[in-house]
């Protein structure tokens, strides 16, 4: 049986309690509220309900659906009059989505009370057993505000590659959370191109008065690494304490007999791999990757000179 | 499809109102739509219908038809099928819809069916342009959540070993999902299992199979950034002004000790020394540990050891 059948039944079973509960419901309201593409589809589903009911299946046993003057009423369906329990995946999905959105500082005020009611409905046993830890940095609200009002924003940003700070004026597109970090994306006038900024590396946000024309393109919320031919390829071995690296970064892993892991990754800037190797210390050993070796040597020298 | 839907609605209506377990045979003879000619055809149809109902979250269970327990029948307890109307306002439903659309799980949105069950919501024009991806697929998370909330034993493979656990809590922290659970046989050690490393998670046995200790707190078990644990010591680090502000923001309880045109010196709590050294090194030559001397020495030794 297809998912389409399941989805259609789920929607019908959700719609009946709503109609039973409310005295005046129009076809258009049902179409909008339950995401139907067309009025005709709403009517089709309602007509179907009209043909079902309890054994006997006579006028007294069938569900009574009445469509009059665009208004819908449903009677004799007491057993379908309460909302269906959420599945665990549905409940968790909503709880997690709601908590995340609350943490983003951008939730409408009604979300907090909605979450209270939802938690009560799902049950204390369930809500006590989940923990969402995704507090958004303060800068998120200001960035959000700039995007919502189409105003340019000036940010101080410490770049990932070189730890260099620059001031940039950005036409914001979106603020989002992915893989444990908050990001801000937009058209950077300083670079003349689309840029992605990590919010925890933004040290200053000034919302400017100047407006910009928001781009129609849908900002992608997924942080994706796309390999290019100019990438630097680096291979190193990892001791047991550094095994997390092979899970955290995309790359190829090979288990060695010594218990170590050989890991090959591609980076757009050798400094990224060099910094990682320096961090891992003696637990990681560079095997191949000349540009990374040079960058690592250079980085060690620069840091060591500060301790001379 | 029309006939299928009618038949399933009839079946559900019948089981919700029967008030007792009913056998497959009775269903076949009573419920409209089960007029298949052969036993086999009936059985196949009935099996598919049951699967579909269960996939929608309908609690379809078996229990003995009579006290002699000779025959089993099907039951849908109305109170398990339905919830009391949570009484959401229109604004609250819209807020949940916005959240559900903004937050994804490995590229997938929360099923709209959840919103529909709560009464649906009108699409929100001008919804905030926020997005988040919590990074793991909801089917697996839903199963774990089921185990946690119904207190059912959970089996899975982890680092090449089969585990049987009593799942206490599910947590999302620092971009990862974790299950906090002791293994059966050692209830005193609650372990944090990374969900993305679990294989073949399966619920085992009946709900309410264990109780969670009253004083249990998932936050104690799930690995944190270290920011929650007690600081074991303090360090003084001099940062170039370029990076000083983001450094101060990244660490809770950072204190500015002094500030010049070029550098800012911060006093920072040290929770896990190795992690602290790694963090300082992340600023390249733009951060220098000033005190204590032992930490300075260890950082220098760490750099020398890297190859």
């Amino acid at each position: 049986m297809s998912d389409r059948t399941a989805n259609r039944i789920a929607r019908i079973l959700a719609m009946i309690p709503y109609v039973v509960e409310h005295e005046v419901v129009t076809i258009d309201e049902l179409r909008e509220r339950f995401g139907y593409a067309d009025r005709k589809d709403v009517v089709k589903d309602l007509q179907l309900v009209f043909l079902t009911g309890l054994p006997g299946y006579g006028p007294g046993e069938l569900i009574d659906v009445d469509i009059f003057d665009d208004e819908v009423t449903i009677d004799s369906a007491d057993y379908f009059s309460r909302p269906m329990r959420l599945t665990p995946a549905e409940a968790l999905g909503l709880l997690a989505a709601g908590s995340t959105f609350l943490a983003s500082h951008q939730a409408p005020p009604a979300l907090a009370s909605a979450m209270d009611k939802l938690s009560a409905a799902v049950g204390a046993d369930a809500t006590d057993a989940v923990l969402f830890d995704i507090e958004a940095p303060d800068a998120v609200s200001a960035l959000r505000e700039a995007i919502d009002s189409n105003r340019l924003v000036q940010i101080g940003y410490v770049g990932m590659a070189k730890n260099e700070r620059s001031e940039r004026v950005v036409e914001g597109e979106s603020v989002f959370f992915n893989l444990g970090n908050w990001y801000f994306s937009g058209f950077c006038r300083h670079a003349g191109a689309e840029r992605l900024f990590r919010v925890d590396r933004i040290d200053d946000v000034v919302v400017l008065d100047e407006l910009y024309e928001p781009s129609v393109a849908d900002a992608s919320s997924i942080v994706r690494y796309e390999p290019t031919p100019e990438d630097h390829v680096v291979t190193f071995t990892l001791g047991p304490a550094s095994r997390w690296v092979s899970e955290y970064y995309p790359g190829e892993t090979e288990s060695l007999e010594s218990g170590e892991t050989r890991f090959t990754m591609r980076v757009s800037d050798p400094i990224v791999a060099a910094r990682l190797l320096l961090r891992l210390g003696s637990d990681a050993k560079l095997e191949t990757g000349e540009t990374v070796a040079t960058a690592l040597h250079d980085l060690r020298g620069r840091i060591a000179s500060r301790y001379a | 499809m029309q006939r299928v839907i009618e038949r399933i609605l009839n079946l559900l209506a019948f089981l919700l109102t029967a008030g007792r377990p009913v056998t497959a045979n009775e269903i076949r003879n009573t419920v409209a739509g089960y007029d298949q000619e052969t036993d086999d055809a009936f059985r196949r149809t009935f099996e598919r219908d049951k699967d579909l109902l269960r996939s929608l979250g309908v609690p379809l269970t078996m229990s003995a038809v009579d006290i002699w327990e000779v025959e089993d029948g099907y039951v849908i307890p109305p109170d398990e099928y339905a919830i009391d109307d949570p009484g959401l306002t229109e604004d609250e439903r819209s807020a949940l819809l916005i959240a559900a659309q903004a937050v994804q799980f490995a590229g997938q949105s929360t099923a709209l069916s959840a919103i529909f069950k709560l009464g649906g919501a009108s699409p929100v024009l001008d919804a905030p342009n926020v997005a988040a991806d919590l990074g793991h697929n909801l089917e697996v998370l839903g199963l774990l959540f089921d185990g946690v909330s119904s207190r059912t034993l959970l089996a899975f493979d982890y680092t090449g070993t089969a585990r049987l656990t009593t799942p206490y809590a599910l947590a999302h922290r620092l971009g990862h999902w974790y299950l906090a659970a002791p293994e059966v046989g050692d209830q005193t050690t609650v372990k944090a299992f990374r969900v993305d490393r679990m294989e073949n998670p399966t619920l085992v046995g009946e709900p309410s199979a264990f109780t969670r200790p009253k004083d249990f707190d998932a936050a104690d078990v799930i690995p944190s950034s270290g920011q929650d644990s007690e600081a074991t010591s303090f360090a003084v680090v001099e940062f170039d002004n370029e990076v000083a502000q983001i450094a101060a923001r990244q660490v809770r309880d950072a204190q500015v000790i002094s500030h010049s045109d070029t550098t800012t010196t911060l006093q920072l709590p040290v929770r896990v020394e190795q992690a602290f050294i790694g963090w300082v090194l992340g600023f390249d030559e733009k951060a220098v540990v000033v005190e204590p001397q032992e930490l300075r020495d260890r950082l220098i030794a760490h750099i020398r050891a890297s190859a």
Side-chain angles (χ1 to χ4, degrees), chain A residues 117-131:
Chain A
K117 290 180 186 174
L118 180 67
S119 303
V122 172
D125 236 14
T127 38
D128 285 356
V130 278
L131 169 82

Side-chain angles (χ1 to χ4, degrees), chain B residues 66-127:
Chain B
D66 48 44
I67 51 165
W68 298 283
E69 302 193 355
V70 180
E71 219 174 354
D72 273 347
Y74 294 90
V75 200
I76 300 177
D79 279 330
E80 283 177 39
Y81 164 82
I83 49 171
D84 290 329
D85 191 332
L88 294 166
T89 65
E90 218 38 50
D91 283 352
E92 289 167 344
R93 289 196 187 105
S94 298
L96 284 175
L97 177 64
I98 295 171
Q101 288 174 336
V103 179
Q104 299 198 320
F105 298 81
Q108 279 187 311
S109 295
T110 309
L112 273 177
S113 59
I115 302 281
F116 292 161
K117 283 180 178 174
L118 297 171
S122 305
V124 187
L125 306 167
D126 219 26

